[in-house]
Amino acid sequence: MDGRGLVRSVKAFGSVRGLRTVRVAWRRLRADAALPPRGAERARVPGPVEGAEALPGGGIVRFARSSLRVCVSAGGTVFWGWDGAGPEPSYALAGAAPEADPRAVLEPDTDGGWRVVSERVTVAVSRHGAVEIRTPGGVMLRRDLPPRWWEPVGGGPARWAQRAEVPADARFFGLGGRAAGPRLRNGSYRLWNTDPKGRFGPEDDPLYITMPVQFVVSDAGTHLAFHDNTWDGRVTLAEGEEGAGSGHDRPGTSEVRMEGGPLRCWVVVGTPARVLHNWAALTGAPALPPAWALGPQHARWGFGGAAEVRRVVAGYRERGLPLSAVHLDIDHYDGHRVFTVDRERFPDLPGLAAELREQGVRLVSIVDPAVAAEPGNVLYVEGRAAGAFVRDARGGEVRGMVWPGECAFPDFTDPAVREWWGGLYEERLRQGFSGVWHDMNEPVSFAPFGDPTLPRSARHSLEGRGGDHREAHNAYGLLMARAGYEGLRRLRPEERPFLFTRAGWAGMQRYGGTWSGDVATGWPGLRASLALVLGLGLCGVPYSGPDVGGFDGSPSPELFLRWYQLGAWLPLFRTHAALGAGRREPWEFGPEVLEHARVALAERERLQPYFVTLSRLARMTGAPYVRPLWWGTPEDRALRECDDAFLLGDALLVAPVLHRGADRRAVRLPRGRWYDTATGEAYEGPGQVLLDAPLGRVPVLARAGAVLPVRGEDGGLALEVWAPAAGRTGGGLVVRDTGDGWEPAEIERYQSRLVDGRVVVERVTEEGPAEAGLPVRVRGGVRAGG
């Protein structure tokens, strides 16, 4: 036992609860010890090919000791699975697997192998079981070598390893939320959703959201590889090296190791935009946040009561600062018990919510999965009677220590439990809340030693199949999000639910977004905030953002302001802090910071129609709001190395300040002309420029020809157009705000061009160009045309 861990637990919870934490942790260790040991293992590889059977879109290739199923969908997405593994069941898929491409045929290949040729991709299977993904022109994108299994002689789940090779110039991204990203350097990355125990920085891994989703960019093309398996695993990446002179290239490598579960993989190829469009088609369109959730939001662990909430909201209003939502943390609960209210601190929560709603401010509630295991807790009694909680191998209820004390955990892998839990959100709606954020749902059980989660031997329904926590753990947060989202839809069908979650897995975008979690206050934490948003976007989760200012500690005025300026350009713009970590209201950092924060807020509000458009496009196409600089030009190797700036949609390039004391910064530009939005000066890319970054702003550049929807001076919708370069055209998309319901939205297309030295902006219709029909402001030193 770790004595220091015991001391920490006693200090944190008091002597009685601290000792209970130790007791629960010991029970977890004993439960895990009951798992049968792996014992002796037998290694296995596929062996030589023996034959094949053609099926729609591909077929089955049989080897001496295994079989491989290959299928190419009509959209060009590739599936392959070993040992009879099919696409379903899967928590990642939004529905049934895509239909096979009837034109793709399994046919003999050279050297005894087989291949499937389709319009967008070729899949080649070697005679020993290597799977190679090629472009239509025959260029290799990815080569998965024959896998290896280790099967316990006495029976049990087989662990496996799959090694892949990619081009020498390829760069890796993805794997969920990684603080050291967005480009993933050489190293090993664990696939096990984990609470880093209070704070994290770029050196910490894993974090709350891990996904076996690799986004790979090379000269040959872009592809996404997804190993559909929720078990504990590890991905080891090594970038390649191009040979000098007559030397040979060393390919990049990726090795995936899983402790059990199926060996199956999806591969999506194409441009970055096409890859994420097909990924969204496979795993589900991102949930569409209500328009108010695209505005500035404020949270704090430790508001103390309704009076402090009113004081903070009044502070925003008195200073003329916009505010869309206030988030209440666990301290508003009665004894930290979920779905309760501390009546002394919040005597009339529905009245408070209605009062704030009149001022345009919504209330958002935290929801944890842990249920206080107390006889007097009505929720616990109800859940226990329904058999809703996770149990151990002997049928006993699994307990853990969380904020309310000793707790039980709903089994969200059971459809009946999800329905029961979703119905509980009626209480949150009655209290006046407009949205929820899920926390502690990795899930967390405080432990002074070992893994702070449930026993691996804990039993789960897994949709009736049955299994243990080794398979259910990574899907737990995803399925809690599903329970909450579906419950809110049933309870209030006329409104789009607003939900974001700390933990999740592939497909979580169907139910909402996420945030950084407990990012450490400091300049490294600021940089990690951007890495998380970019990496999650490439895994199909477009709506996210950090705790502005960091979760723990007190940021300096400069650090807070630079974090605030970054947050103002990210989808989820929320300040938040831990109990005792200081305030995060902009006026708490002095008059200079307040005025600079006011500028950032004003620009966020002015661009609200652009954020609405980006949210709609994310749902329609899967494209994230925040994109790496190489998004439109993945062949630009210099941009692949750039991880300190980003594109916001197609039109804007944002270069946040991530270092103390910086007042200038280098910015690498994609090809084309870019305007500094502060000075109007034009720069030509590709290349690097040095731009001023005074304390009052960060460099933001606009693409020449871009047409952006903005709020005009009268508050209505207007178009901001950046002059196209001579001989070139530009354009943009606009999706108008149709409210927070399910009303369909129409994409409006606009084009810009130079005519006799004047910028002409027209709406593109089926009948041809038409007048824009909206106020137009031209920037970039050129006059507007008719």
Side-chain angles (χ1 to χ4, degrees), residues 5-66:
L6 172 58
V7 172
R8 284 195 299 269
S9 293
V10 172
K11 285 183 177 178
F13 298 104
S15 59
V16 174
R17 292 184 65 187
L19 290 173
R20 285 179 179 172
T21 302
V22 175
R23 183 183 65 190
V24 167
W26 273 119
R27 285 206 301 257
R28 178 179 54 77
L29 292 177
R30 287 201 307 270
D32 282 346
L35 284 171
R38 297 195 66 88
E41 294 180 316
R42 182 184 299 109
R44 172 168 62 90
V45 295
V49 68
E50 293 187 340
E53 173 189 354
L55 295 171
I60 298 174
V61 182
R62 294 185 175 84
F63 299 85
R65 290 176 289 277
S66 187

Side-chain angles (χ1 to χ4, degrees), residues 262-338:
L263 174 46
R264 56 185 180 178
C265 185
W266 293 90
V267 180
V268 188
V269 303
T271 64
R274 180 178 291 278
V275 165
L276 283 185
H277 178 74
N278 286 347
W279 176 243
L282 184 68
T283 61
L288 187 65
W292 61 262
L294 298 171
Q297 305 177 51
H298 188 87
R300 190 201 304 164
W301 178 11
F303 271 120
E308 177 66 3
V309 172
R310 288 189 173 95
R311 187 193 72 82
V312 169
V313 173
Y316 276 89
R317 187 175 64 253
E318 291 164 2
R319 293 168 177 85
L321 304 177
L323 180 66
S324 292
V326 169
H327 298 216
L328 299 188
D329 212 317
I330 54 172
D331 51 299
H332 87 278
Y333 283 129
D334 180 10
H336 295 159
R337 298 174 187 87
V338 67

Side-chain angles (χ1 to χ4, degrees), residues 50-118:
E50 293 187 340
E53 173 189 354
L55 295 171
I60 298 174
V61 182
R62 294 185 175 84
F63 299 85
R65 290 176 289 277
S66 187
S67 62
L68 173 69
R69 177 180 174 182
V70 179
C71 183
V72 179
S73 74
T77 299
V78 178
F79 171 83
W80 51 258
W82 287 95
D83 285 355
E88 301 174 61
S90 169
Y91 283 125
L93 270 59
E99 293 185 4
D101 183 353
R103 299 168 298 173
V105 178
L106 181 68
E107 60 187 25
D109 200 4
T110 58
D111 199 25
W114 295 82
R115 67 179 181 183
V116 180
V117 179
S118 72

Side-chain angles (χ1 to χ4, degrees), residues 329-351:
D329 212 317
I330 54 172
D331 51 299
H332 87 278
Y333 283 129
D334 180 10
H336 295 159
R337 298 174 187 87
V338 67
F339 299 123
T340 65
V341 177
D342 186 329
R343 299 295 179 183
E344 291 186 8
R345 295 180 175 182
F346 294 89
D348 181 14
L349 192 53

